Amino acid sequence: MSRFELGMSLGYLINKSSSIMRIYLNKEFSKHNIDASSERWGLLNIVKACPGLTQSEIATRSFKDKTNVTRMLDVLEKHGHIERRENLNDKRTYNIFITDKGLTLLEQLVPIVMSMNAAACKNFTPDEMKQLHFLLNKLLNTITEQ
């Protein structure tokens, strides 16, 4: 039987990296006095890219459970960053749209995210970054095929 080392586990390393980047990004938003989180940043990008998705569709695309997505959307709606519109085909669901205020927030967040990504990857060469993106996308495609 081979010896398992947590520090060599792909899932552990990816999860740890993701958690650290999320914490760092939230601190950066806070430093800039912006009431946002990495999770809301992600949801706003999904809503901007695909206007009119339902809450369930957003949950699926964000890999988050529906309850947490609903709570995050409640916060975004409360701050005027999204709006829910009744679905004409199914009165039990809502379609989600980004507002002008939400677009303005995204514009404020983009430079912060880009700066954080650059800082996180400062020790990578451009070729290593291309390879990292390629390999992570290959991993995602492999996992989602199953």
Side-chain angles (χ1 to χ4, degrees):
M1 178 182 221
S2 61
R3 192 169 152 241
F4 176 78
E5 293 183 41
L6 184 62
M8 295 303 290
S9 167
L10 185 58
Y12 172 77
L13 290 171
I14 290 171
N15 186 54
K16 185 175 179 179
S17 298
S18 174
S19 295
I20 291 169
M21 289 187 75
R22 188 173 44 255
I23 290 166
Y24 180 41
L25 186 57
N26 289 337
K27 285 181 182 178
E28 288 300 304
F29 290 160
S30 184
K31 267 200 253 182
H32 288 82
N33 295 316
I34 298 174
D35 183 18
S37 69
S38 58
E39 288 84 6
R40 285 184 261 155
W41 153 258
L43 292 186
L44 277 176
N45 277 286
I46 291 169
V47 173
K48 179 185 175 196
C50 304
L53 290 176
T54 65
Q55 293 175 191
S56 292
E57 291 167 329
I58 293 169
T60 299
R61 288 178 188 234
S62 65
F63 303 100
K64 297 188 182 309
D65 69 53
K66 293 175 189 174
T67 304
N68 284 335
V69 167
T70 298
R71 271 189 242 131
M72 287 185 271
L73 291 174
D74 288 345
V75 171
L76 289 168
E77 184 178 41
K78 178 182 165 193
H79 288 91
H81 298 130
I82 61 147
E83 70 177 3
R84 290 176 166 109
R85 296 182 196 157
E86 192 174 275
N87 185 309
L88 300 177
N89 299 319
D90 183 353
K91 302 292 183 196
R92 297 169 297 163
T93 63
Y94 292 91
N95 299 99
I96 311 300
F97 297 88
I98 195 165
T99 63
D100 289 341
K101 191 172 179 181
L103 290 170
T104 299
L105 176 62
L106 279 179
E107 288 174 17
Q108 290 177 301
L109 298 178
V110 166
I112 297 167
V113 172
M114 290 177 68
S115 175
M116 191 223 56
N117 284 335
C121 299
K122 69 181 179 187
N123 293 325
F124 289 90
T125 67
D127 285 342
E128 287 172 330
M129 284 306 301
K130 284 181 191 172
Q131 185 178 21
L132 179 61
H133 283 110
F134 172 79
L135 293 172
L136 288 172
N137 280 309
K138 187 174 183 179
L139 175 67
L140 288 171
N141 289 334
T142 302
I143 292 170
T144 56
E145 287 173 0
Q146 298 176 14

